[in-house]
Amino acid sequence: MPCPEPEVTVRNLNLTALIVVAAVAFGLSCSTAAKADVPLMTKEQLKPLLGRPSVIVIDVRSRPAWKRSDVKIPGAVREEPMKVPTWIHKYETDKTMVLYCDCPSEETSNHVGRQLLQKGFKDVYALKGGWKEWVEANYPLEPK
């Protein structure tokens, strides 16, 4: 399910602290607690693939995150994550699909990626660390 816009409240902060304490107590890390259904691709793996016709990069950031930004990963196509059935037919199933979002643990990318895999796409990946890691690494961006 796509990640909602966060609402910061004392209750949310207390709940978050409780979850972190529980994860540490049980020896869990974020990566093991939130197992990805869709394979991950690192930013280092994606960067040299940009511009290849066999690779389609899809921006599935939340609508508010998309609107707040003036840039995107070069060549990325913006698709609405909650409307996969309306746009999935535009893409060939033999292409490598790389999805990125702005959620922790790639929730939206996984949500969309699962739907693509169910519809016969073979090479579907969620960008590990998503939009945030790409930007923090000062990797290429282009105006949207």
Side-chain angles (χ1 to χ4, degrees):
M1 170 110 333
C3 65
E5 285 297 305
E7 179 182 329
V8 179
T9 65
V10 173
R11 182 173 183 214
N12 287 351
L13 291 174
N14 287 339
L15 180 58
T16 301
L18 179 62
I19 291 169
V20 169
V21 169
V24 170
F26 290 102
L28 300 174
S29 69
C30 187
S31 61
T32 59
K35 292 188 178 179
D37 297 333
V38 175
L40 297 175
M41 179 180 287
T42 67
K43 60 189 178 294
E44 294 85 5
Q45 292 169 315
L46 175 59
K47 188 177 177 186
L49 300 178
L50 294 178
R52 289 191 182 179
S54 61
V55 178
I56 300 172
V57 180
I58 300 184
D59 185 324
V60 291
R61 287 180 281 172
S62 67
R63 184 173 289 163
W66 170 255
K67 287 182 178 183
R68 281 191 306 266
S69 177
D70 293 329
V71 292
K72 63 183 178 98
I73 292 176
V77 178
R78 166 71 178 150
E79 296 292 2
E80 191 64 45
M82 296 302 292
K83 297 182 179 178
V84 175
T86 65
W87 56 260
I88 195 171
H89 67 279
K90 295 191 292 188
Y91 303 102
E92 298 170 33
T93 58
D94 64 341
K95 301 289 185 184
T96 298
M97 310 293 278
V98 183
L99 309 162
Y100 71 91
C101 62
D102 59 330
C103 300
S105 303
E106 302 82 33
E107 288 99 346
T108 301
S109 294
N110 275 307
H111 175 74
V112 173
R114 279 191 303 272
Q115 293 177 68
L116 294 176
L117 289 168
Q118 290 170 353
K119 294 295 184 180
F121 287 80
K122 305 283 185 262
D123 293 320
V124 179
Y125 300 89
L127 179 62
K128 184 175 187 276
W131 175 247
K132 182 179 178 188
E133 278 195 26
W134 187 270
V135 171
E136 287 176 354
N138 290 315
Y139 274 20
L141 298 170
E142 69 179 15
K144 58 180 195 178

